[in-house]
Amino acid sequence: MAHAPEPDPAASDLGEERPKWDNKAQYFLSCIGFAVGLGNIWRFPYLCQTYGGGAFLIPYLIALVFEGIPIFHVELAIGQRLRKGSVGVWTAISPYLSGVGLGCVTLSLLISLYYNAIVAWVLWYLLNSFQHPLPWSSCPPDLNRTGFVEECQGSSAVSYFWYRQTLNIAADINDSGSIQWWLLLCLAASWAVVYMCIIRGIETTGKVIYFTALFPYLVLTIFVIRGLTLPGATQGLIYLFTPKMHILQNPQVWLDAATQIFFSLSLAFGGHIAFASYNSPRNDCQKDAVVIALVNSMTSLYASIAVFSVLGFKATNDHEHCLDRAAPQGESGPPSRNILSLINEFDFPEQSISRDDYLAVLMHLNATWPKRVAQLPLKVCRLEDFLDKSASGPGLAFIVFTEAVLHMPGAPAWAVLFFGMLFTLGLSTMFGGMEAVITPMLDVGVLPRWVPKEALTGLVCLACFLFATCFTLQSGNYWLEIFDNVAASLNLLILAFLEVVGVAYVYGMKRFCDDIAWMTGRRPSPYWRLTWRVVSPLLLLTIFVAYITLLSQKPLSYRAWNPKYELFPARQEKLYPGWCSPPACCCPCCPCCGSRGSRFAQLLTRRRMWRDRDARPDTNTS
Amino acid sequence: MLWLLFFLMTAIHAELCQPGAANAFKVRLSIRTALGNKAYTWDTSEEYLFKAMVAFSMRKVPNREATEISHVLLCNVTQRVSFWFVVTDPSKNHTLPAVEVQTAIRMNKNRINGAFFLNDQTLEFLKIPSTLAPPMDPSVPIWIIIFGVIFCIVIVAITLLILSGIWQRRRKNKEPSEVDDAEDKCENMNTIENGIPCDPLDMKGGHINDAFMTEDERLTPL
């Protein structure tokens, strides 16, 4: 029975035992924390709602079963068996595949860079939530104090707070502008917190993870309970979950479901490999993979209940404002006022038109005074239009949800809870991302052994912080978007494909099944073998090709916030600079293909082995 | 003659105060919105109070200290409640410039609001923008305070962790010398076989076979 080349103990451990998790719970929570991230809150509910509600769960579950869980199992299994980070694991499988490991590390580093910038934004909002009234509840007055700032008046107080007072965003990506000092401070604080938590690897992460992984669930529960008791919550939920089966005919739905499950589980980062490498070798990684993947999906569903009950409340609120009266000038809320417009124009007594009478009165007035009625800024107020105005990504958290929170009694408390939850979610994902970078560095021995681990993590965090300052520029948000939408996704798909193919074909299915049998006590069933060999690689290839096709169909564009745009507050569509094309965005994957990369990794590993052998006069022969 | 004068006066007044007339302003009150059940009805007495407040505001303007209540004219009162008003000069032939009236009202808006238990949203002078309250800017923004607290805690925690790491490493470096002592002690510990400590067997009644006695062995390297 051919086993993997037994990792040479002298090479794998740093002269000391490999760190271990204190207990299974820490490992479990770390993996869950890494998988459950901001995307579960602000991407899945949006996808669910856009793609026909309950019907979206079908492609989602299919993708989970045929793509998510198998690849996840592969990562946990090889990490646990070969007991190394991603570079070490791929070097052990085949020296030609060590580029995959380097690609994983590079990509994790890049993603951690911009992910922590998002966490810094969340921290900024969290710090600003400790006041009443909340700073995004009203527009600041202009210099004369006769009205509100024009940009705020034209859009809304929450948008103004996000685009102007937080990001101070430039109108164009080429306009770098200056570094925003408040964002820089928040970025420094985020990196300091991340450093504090990963300073000694899993020893410190394992203690912090109890809080960062469990706190979001507590807050979600509070929001679900509060959300369900808000008026209009049921409308939001019904709208979310009503299945529209005809949408399944659109191939875009399947593509988005597959990509969502892929990114939601944080696959191909190397983080799960790193976490699993600290496990005891005889741990049931198969059960872990299934359970963690299911927990991740359940969390997404749970979060969408919370999010959509709150959004339903907001939509109902906006609908009522639209109908009868305006929010006072400059405050959040739609500026149009139907009933009040009628009353003011025709000088009817106050509150003489109820919402039920509105349509009848409007028709009567339109018949008698059509010209005067036509002049009025009357909006058609349909609840569906407000429910449709959902958003995904930062737009959901920083604009839509912040506005919804304003209308809830005790707004600062809800804001603190919400942004606290987002902060801990982002943190726990950062732990996985950083561990994916640091574990291979420790294994390969980038720094000499006498340099303590704290120094290595400190240097990495400091370097990341310095590079990430580019996201605090005025155009930072545009760069972040392209990183997130294109660069990260494409490269992760390539790496995941190479991972599955590497294990199934290069490492050998038989060898892999033997290893799993040794670790878990039972051989993988045909379902696993089939998905690893055929289904998952095919799915990944299809997704990758579809993604590239969609991206190449039109030049990459971004939506800029330009106060001087004619259709302001609509965002202006602009093109990215010419060199920003999908091939350029695949740059981080170059190490995969570069043989130089793999040679370099080989040299490093061999050098460590020699160094370790020389350092110990009485070598263990057992 | 007197009747003619009277009609002339009313006619002039009517001309001076008209919707859309020069220097005329429209006022809109939303009493029921502001006060709900405690809303008062708008009658001539309230109009008198309004005229008094406008006259009061005008008297604060230099050169207009002689403004009387009778100089303020109201017209077109609707059920909404909304009406138009103008302020005339002492001769009652001309209306005062809009700019002056505007400045006067803006300066005293708070008093006028207070007299009617209303605010800037419920007592609107169309075309007279109200001065907004200055933003409540504390000298140190709250977020900086909280940021400072959190950052200090994090820095202290990091320092403690680094120091404890250094201390642990120093302790481990001292340990190799201690480990040898411990192993010697193990040797001297009583070995127990089948529940009977072996040492007493040597002492009590057992014979020590010199042929098998070897020198004290140090722990063999594994």
Side-chain angles (χ1 to χ4, degrees):
Chain A
M1 208 158 71
H3 275 285
E6 195 66 52
D8 192 346
S12 70
D13 305 325
L14 309 155
E16 341 160 312
E17 254 188 42
R18 190 172 184 78
K20 276 203 310 251
W21 295 106
D22 286 343
N23 51 47
K24 182 80 183 278
Q26 279 184 3
Y27 159 65
F28 221 72
L29 286 176
S30 296
C31 284
I32 290 181
F34 183 39
V36 173
L38 297 171
N40 293 65
I41 305 288
W42 67 36
R43 184 110 178 104
F44 179 81
Y46 167 75
L47 285 177
C48 216
Q49 188 230 321
T50 320
Y51 290 130
F56 179 71
L57 293 176
I58 299 177
Y60 184 75
L61 280 171
I62 292 179
L64 177 70
V65 164
F66 289 113
E67 178 204 344
I69 296 185
I71 304 180
F72 192 38
H73 186 19
V74 163
E75 289 208 4
L76 290 184
I78 52 175
Q80 194 174 292
R81 180 67 188 88
L82 299 172
R83 303 175 62 67
K84 288 235 192 98
S86 49
V87 171
V89 151
W90 293 108
T91 319
I93 289 182
S94 159
Y96 298 105
L97 279 182
S98 54
V100 175
L102 272 181
C104 281
V105 172
T106 324
L107 200 61
S108 290
L109 202 59
L110 283 174
I111 295 181
S112 302
L113 278 180
Y114 78 72
Y115 204 85
N116 218 22
I118 301 179
V119 173
W121 294 340
V122 172
L123 182 64
W124 161 257
Y125 267 81
L126 178 61
L127 294 175
N128 274 293
S129 302
F130 286 96
Q131 50 188 295
H132 183 72
L134 291 166
W136 54 83
S137 59
S138 60
C139 279
D142 63 15
L143 292 165
N144 289 349
R145 283 169 50 200
T146 50
F148 295 108
V149 171
E150 202 188 308
E151 189 181 344
C152 193
Q153 191 90 310
S155 55
S156 70
V158 280
S159 303
Y160 181 75
F161 185 77
W162 168 234
Y163 286 112
R164 192 52 53 212
Q165 291 176 309
T166 305
L167 299 175
N168 197 9
I169 204 163
D172 192 271
I173 196 173
N174 296 313
D175 237 342
S176 297
S178 55
I179 289 189
Q180 308 308 298
W181 62 269
W182 55 92
L183 286 182
L184 192 68
L185 282 181
C186 290
L187 190 69
S190 316
W191 277 111
V193 172
V194 169
Y195 177 49
M196 176 183 82
C197 298
I198 61 168
I199 191 169
R200 273 195 231 136
I202 63 167
E203 195 188 315
T204 38
T205 314
K207 311 268 185 324
V208 185
I209 202 74
Y210 287 113
F211 175 70
T212 55
L214 293 175
F215 181 69
Y217 286 97
L218 175 67
V219 175
L220 270 180
T221 310
I222 296 176
F223 265 100
V224 164
I225 297 176
R226 174 70 247 208
L228 288 175
T229 55
L230 288 170
T234 27
Q235 268 101 322
L237 285 175
I238 293 171
Y239 194 71
L240 167 70
F241 284 119
T242 313
K244 301 180 193 79
M245 296 304 236
H246 63 91
I247 292 203
L248 293 182
Q249 292 161 9
N250 179 7
Q252 179 81 16
V253 179
W254 297 86
L255 176 65
D256 273 336
T259 39
Q260 170 62 16
I261 200 65
F262 182 74
F263 299 128
S264 179
L265 283 171
S266 307
L267 299 173
F269 277 67
H272 291 297
I273 299 180
F275 282 150
S277 69
Y278 296 115
N279 263 340
S280 61
R282 289 188 187 263
N283 173 51
D284 195 345
C285 53
Q286 185 167 317
K287 199 169 66 157
D288 291 343
V290 175
V291 171
I292 295 174
L294 285 177
V295 167
N296 179 51
S297 297
M298 289 294 117
T299 311
S300 293
L301 275 173
Y302 197 48
S304 44
I305 295 179
V307 166
F308 267 88
S309 44
V310 175
L311 289 187
F313 159 71
K314 176 180 181 301
T316 311
N317 224 321
D318 290 347
H319 180 56
E320 281 171 17
H321 273 229
C322 181
L323 275 184
D324 47 28
R325 65 180 317 109
Q329 230 187 359
E331 283 189 22
S332 303
S336 89
R337 29 177 171 170
N338 286 359
I339 293 183
L340 194 64
S341 295
L342 283 181
I343 288 180
N344 284 349
E345 173 65 24
F346 294 99
D347 287 318
F348 292 142
E350 267 183 286
Q351 299 174 354
S352 55
I353 306 179
S354 72
R355 273 184 230 138
D356 303 323
D357 299 332
Y358 166 68
L359 282 169
V361 171
L362 179 65
M363 269 180 13
H364 169 74
L365 288 173
N366 214 2
T368 40
W369 301 97
K371 279 212 193 106
R372 284 172 77 181
V373 171
Q375 276 177 5
L376 295 176
L378 294 175
K379 265 198 187 163
V380 176
C381 293
R382 284 177 55 230
L383 185 60
E384 290 74 35
D385 291 339
F386 290 105
L387 284 169
D388 265 333
K389 262 198 237 158
S390 66
S392 81
L396 174 73
F398 300 123
I399 299 183
V400 175
F401 218 82
T402 42
E403 196 181 324
V405 155
L406 284 175
H407 301 300
M408 293 161 73
W414 298 109
V416 166
L417 276 179
F418 179 65
F419 289 112
M421 170 182 77
L422 289 187
F423 186 65
T424 43
L425 278 173
L427 260 191
S428 49
T429 310
M430 280 303 298
F431 297 158
M434 295 308 290
E435 212 46 58
V437 171
I438 289 178
T439 305
M441 280 185 164
L442 286 172
D443 291 336
V444 160
V446 163
L447 292 180
R449 192 139 30 98
W450 53 264
V451 177
K453 198 191 280 191
E454 290 91 329
L456 174 67
T457 41
L459 280 173
V460 172
C461 287
L462 184 66
C464 286
F465 164 64
L466 291 173
F467 277 112
T469 48
C470 69
F471 294 117
T472 58
L473 291 170
Q474 289 183 263
S475 56
N477 186 34
Y478 302 134
W479 290 111
L480 202 145
E481 274 174 11
I482 194 173
F483 261 97
D484 190 20
N485 293 335
V486 183
S489 355
L490 281 178
N491 291 303
L492 285 173
L493 286 169
I494 297 175
L495 286 172
F497 177 74
L498 288 172
E499 263 186 23
V500 179
V501 162
V503 167
Y505 294 102
V506 177
Y507 188 68
M509 185 55 67
K510 187 173 182 309
R511 204 155 66 157
F512 190 54
C513 290
D514 292 340
D515 288 340
I516 293 185
W518 181 76
M519 288 193 294
T520 66
R522 57 185 185 279
R523 288 191 77 80
S525 65
Y527 152 73
W528 296 106
R529 293 204 292 274
L530 187 65
T531 45
W532 290 329
R533 279 207 120 110
V534 177
V535 182
S536 299
L538 262 176
L539 260 176
L540 284 172
L541 204 60
T542 325
I543 298 172
F544 181 71
V545 167
Y547 221 85
I548 289 265
T549 327
L550 278 172
L551 285 176
S552 335
Q553 273 174 0
K554 56 180 176 76
L556 290 172
S557 66
Y558 64 100
R559 286 171 38 239
W561 178 263
N562 187 2
K564 299 198 182 54
Y565 184 44
E566 313 90 58
L567 299 174
F568 185 77
R571 317 252 319 257
Q572 184 181 18
E573 193 104 3
K574 286 191 183 174
L575 294 177
Y576 277 110
W579 51 267
C580 264
S581 56
C585 292
C586 285
C587 272
C589 258
C590 289
C592 291
C593 323
S595 52
R596 262 194 225 148
S598 57
R599 276 298 288 166
F600 178 61
Q602 262 188 313
L603 278 171
L604 276 180
T605 348
R606 229 175 269 158
R607 221 180 61 190
R608 278 276 351 265
M609 279 162 51
W610 294 330
R611 224 182 330 153
D612 287 339
R613 239 176 251 144
D614 293 336
R616 304 183 57 171
D618 46 332
T619 324
N620 262 342
T621 49
S622 64
Chain B
M1 189 58 183
L2 276 172
W3 284 111
L4 205 63
L5 215 60
F6 180 67
F7 282 134
L8 203 63
M9 292 297 282
T10 6
I12 291 173
H13 277 195
E15 267 180 33
L16 286 175
C17 177
Q18 265 181 21
N23 303 331
F25 291 95
K26 182 166 180 183
V27 181
R28 191 188 293 142
L29 287 87
S30 309
I31 307 173
R32 226 176 288 168
T33 316
L35 301 171
N37 291 337
K38 304 196 191 103
Y40 47 83
T41 32
W42 186 259
D43 53 17
T44 41
S45 315
E46 305 285 345
E47 287 178 29
Y48 191 81
L49 177 59
F50 183 80
K51 289 191 210 174
M53 294 307 297
V54 174
F56 160 76
S57 310
M58 289 313 297
R59 289 174 92 127
K60 297 279 187 179
V61 176
N63 294 333
R64 298 290 173 202
E65 287 89 345
T67 316
E68 298 289 335
I69 293 181
S70 51
H71 296 158
V72 183
L73 308 172
L74 262 60
C75 51
N76 274 60
V77 184
T78 67
Q79 288 247 306
R80 169 60 182 84
V81 174
S82 67
F83 49 85
W84 290 78
F85 78 93
V86 285
V87 186
T88 59
D89 62 359
S91 70
K92 298 201 186 163
N93 287 334
H94 311 286
T95 51
L96 294 184
V99 183
E100 279 187 32
V101 180
Q102 205 175 42
T103 329
I105 302 284
R106 280 193 77 190
M107 273 187 345
N108 299 292
K109 190 67 170 19
N110 267 352
R111 300 287 295 270
I112 304 177
N113 285 349
F116 292 99
F117 302 130
L118 299 171
N119 59 30
D120 282 342
Q121 279 81 45
T122 40
L123 171 55
E124 301 169 83
F125 285 78
L126 304 188
K127 289 194 295 173
I128 303 185
S130 44
T131 312
L132 298 166
M136 205 185 65
D137 261 338
S139 51
V140 180
I142 296 182
W143 73 267
I144 290 190
I145 300 174
I146 303 178
F147 169 82
V149 167
I150 295 181
F151 203 59
C152 286
I153 295 177
V154 170
I155 297 291
V156 165
I158 291 178
T159 322
L160 284 175
L161 282 168
I162 294 180
L163 286 176
S164 76
I166 296 176
W167 182 63
Q168 256 177 27
R169 217 158 289 131
R170 272 208 203 124
R171 235 184 17 161
K172 233 191 293 180
N173 284 339
K174 286 197 202 132
E175 259 183 33
S177 49
E178 292 173 8
V179 164
D180 293 334
D181 298 338
E183 286 173 338
D184 281 337
K185 284 200 200 106
C186 281
E187 215 190 355
N188 294 332
M189 253 170 52
N190 284 342
T191 46
I192 296 180
E193 264 191 62
N194 293 334
I196 308 167
C198 292
D199 274 351
L201 291 175
D202 291 332
M203 297 298 135
K204 297 176 186 167
H207 293 286
I208 298 173
N209 190 339
D210 289 324
F212 285 112
M213 203 161 80
T214 49
E215 55 190 42
D216 266 358
E217 284 175 83
R218 295 208 45 116
L219 198 68
T220 47
L222 288 168

